[in-house]
Amino acid sequence: MSGQRANWAGNVTFAAERIHQPSSLAGLQRIVARSGRARALGTAHSFSPVADTRGDLVSVAGLPPLIEADSERGTVTVSAGLRYGELAAELHKAGRALANLASLPHISVAGACATGTHGSGNANGSLATAVRAMEMVTADGDLVTVDRAASPGAVVALGALGIVTRLTLATVPAFGIAQYVYEDVPLGQVRDQFGEIFASAYSVSVFTDWRSPLTGRIWFKRRTDAPAPRWAGGRPADGPRHPLPGKPPANCTTQLGAPGPWHERLPHFRLEFTPSAGNELQSEYLLPREHAAGAFDALGPIAAELAAVLQISEIRTVAADDLWLSPAYRRDTVGVHFTWINDWPAVEPVLALVEERLAPLRARPHWGKLFSTSPAVVHGLYERADDFRELMRHYDPAGKFRNDLLDLYFPPL
């Protein structure tokens, strides 16, 4: 197939010689076995070149769709190319739910898990923490199943071990969410009351454009079986809002405290609309939650530089996990996300400044976003980096699934 030649944002043009979308597992296995270099392509929502290759780019979106619930074990097995919005709707019909969702439901299950993508909530892990097992095609075309408990390093694996075809995810009973937006909250108050604010609901996000006066909007998403948020700062929005000022709120999930199913409230955006701004670049840095105040202190002095190239910034929390390359590995985390204007020459020096300011706080970059953190620094942020390189050698000794990003950050042993 001619296929998609660029990512969603248009900032990465794929270097692949060929792009495939096989319609069967056997077809996928043949492509991988014959290829010299291969990578999986999800929904192309990554802003970094994490999915790219100079060989064969293989979309799994054409494989037969699968949503197979196991009520006894409380799990669901799904095809890797399925989007979260599609999975969630069917899962809800069966009375089950995922513990959390990302800001947008447009991303594929396998791609989100492979890059450590997350939503928000003090007690909510990244989307990859739901994985119990994965089925993938390895370099010689064989099909193998990996158990998360036995090999936690294989879950957030950046596509380095093989092409994932199915995932088994843990589920919970379906639940309701009501979403509230509060406006005009001083960022100084967010800094000083960070713990209280982010403990006030099941999922909390703070949005700011870093413009003067330094204020933010807070999205509280509370479970309908829990008390309403007790935090009393700011003022309730008098109508629905979009995270980006001036954008149509109809693109977003229902607010104003109206209760609804988990999958229609946890994402910020509706599946049927373009998420975020559409024309944008993105970066995100994740640091230990105890450094939340330090992040505000580090970024405050460069607020003017941020505001000049920024559309919006979002601050969220993620629970610690045991997945080797997860940005939340072994530390409760705060993530500072940046949606930039689509002008890389203007953004690049500001991004370097952000990394310089956040480096003392041991900020890990999101694998699917833009970053320029050096390989030596990244290696020092992941204590299992060499173990992951050994895992790559075990599953892919010839380096079929390697690409430029992996060669830079995880060179062969």
Side-chain angles (χ1 to χ4, degrees):
M1 61 178 276
S2 58
Q4 184 172 352
R5 303 303 313 186
N7 67 340
W8 177 71
N11 70 301
V12 176
T13 299
F14 297 132
E17 295 180 5
R18 295 163 297 276
I19 301 181
H20 310 267
Q21 186 171 301
S23 58
S24 69
L25 178 58
L28 170 62
Q29 291 175 282
R30 286 194 296 270
I31 291 168
V32 173
R34 295 170 182 171
S35 176
R37 285 267 176 145
R39 295 285 292 171
L41 177 65
T43 52
H45 273 82
S46 287
F47 292 78
S48 75
V50 65
D52 201 12
T53 181
R54 301 184 187 279
D56 293 283
L57 202 55
V58 185
S59 168
V60 294
L63 297 182
L66 172 71
I67 302 176
E68 188 176 274
D70 185 329
S71 57
E72 185 175 330
R73 296 188 177 186
T75 60
V76 61
T77 299
V78 303
S79 45
L82 205 64
R83 297 185 299 170
Y84 274 97
E86 298 160 341
L87 166 61
E90 292 302 312
L91 200 55
H92 184 72
K93 291 177 184 177
R96 304 296 295 179
L98 298 173
N100 206 7
L101 291 170
S103 297
L104 59 159
H106 307 68
I107 53 179
S108 70
V109 176
C113 292
T115 53
T117 295
H118 60 92
S120 190
N122 281 357
N124 298 325
S126 73
L127 303 186
T129 59
V131 174
R132 292 297 172 266
M134 303 185 308
E135 176 188 271
M136 64 183 182
V137 175
T138 54
D140 55 7
D142 288 344
L143 195 64
V144 303
T145 298
V146 180
D147 181 79
R148 177 258 180 86
S151 188
V155 180
V156 180
L158 314 181
L161 310 182
I163 295 184
V164 176
T165 56
R166 295 182 178 184
L167 302 97
T168 298
L169 309 175
T171 67
V172 298
F175 56 94
I177 291 283
Q179 182 173 201
Y180 306 79
V181 177
Y182 283 72
E183 302 185 296
D184 298 328
V185 182
L187 281 194
Q189 188 174 15
V190 176
R191 176 205 182 277
D192 294 343
Q193 299 179 19
F194 188 91
E196 181 184 355
I197 290 170
F198 278 84
S200 294
Y202 186 78
S203 173
V204 178
S205 293
V206 173
F207 290 94
T208 181
D209 58 12
W210 291 99
R211 288 171 174 82
S212 183
L214 293 177
T215 61
R217 282 180 178 165
I218 305 182
W219 260 245
F220 290 104
K221 301 170 190 273
R222 72 163 179 91
R223 287 182 60 130
T224 53
D225 57 0
R230 292 188 296 272
W231 186 77
R235 60 178 178 82
D238 59 6
R241 298 290 189 263
H242 191 290
L244 280 77
K247 294 292 182 180
N251 292 16
C252 299
T253 51
T254 302
Q255 301 159 28
L256 299 174
W262 59 281
H263 65 291
E264 294 180 1
R265 298 293 186 274
L266 287 175
H268 298 324
F269 304 103
R270 299 176 188 267
L271 181 62
E272 63 268 28
F273 290 103
T274 298
S276 193
N279 184 25
E280 65 198 76
L281 301 173
Q282 293 184 12
S283 302
E284 186 175 26
Y285 297 90
L286 299 106
L287 48 147
R289 200 178 300 167
E290 63 264 26
H291 294 330
F296 284 95
D297 295 342
L299 297 175
I302 61 168
E305 290 89 341
L306 292 172
V309 293
L310 189 68
Q311 297 191 57
I312 202 69
S313 179
E314 181 180 9
I315 300 161
R316 294 176 285 178
T317 56
V318 190
D321 60 51
D322 66 344
L323 310 176
W324 297 354
L325 293 191
S326 166
Y329 178 70
R330 287 193 173 177
R331 63 191 201 188
D332 288 332
T333 292
V334 55
V336 185
H337 184 276
F338 302 92
T339 298
W340 310 106
I341 61 174
N342 195 356
D343 183 349
W344 178 240
V347 169
E348 185 177 19
V350 180
L351 182 67
L353 189 57
V354 168
E355 292 183 344
E356 178 185 336
R357 303 286 298 183
L358 294 181
L361 306 180
R362 296 188 58 78
R364 294 168 174 162
H366 189 302
W367 296 109
K369 313 293 184 181
L370 291 168
F371 63 93
S372 57
T373 312
S374 73
V377 169
V378 169
H379 192 277
L381 292 170
Y382 288 96
E383 60 192 82
R384 303 300 295 269
D386 284 338
D387 293 328
F388 182 72
R389 292 166 69 196
E390 184 60 48
L391 198 65
M392 292 171 68
R393 184 166 65 178
H394 171 76
Y395 280 101
D396 184 25
K400 179 174 288 191
F401 300 113
R402 285 188 163 275
N403 63 4
D404 291 347
L405 186 145
L406 289 168
D407 286 342
L408 179 64
Y409 287 97
F410 300 99
L413 288 168

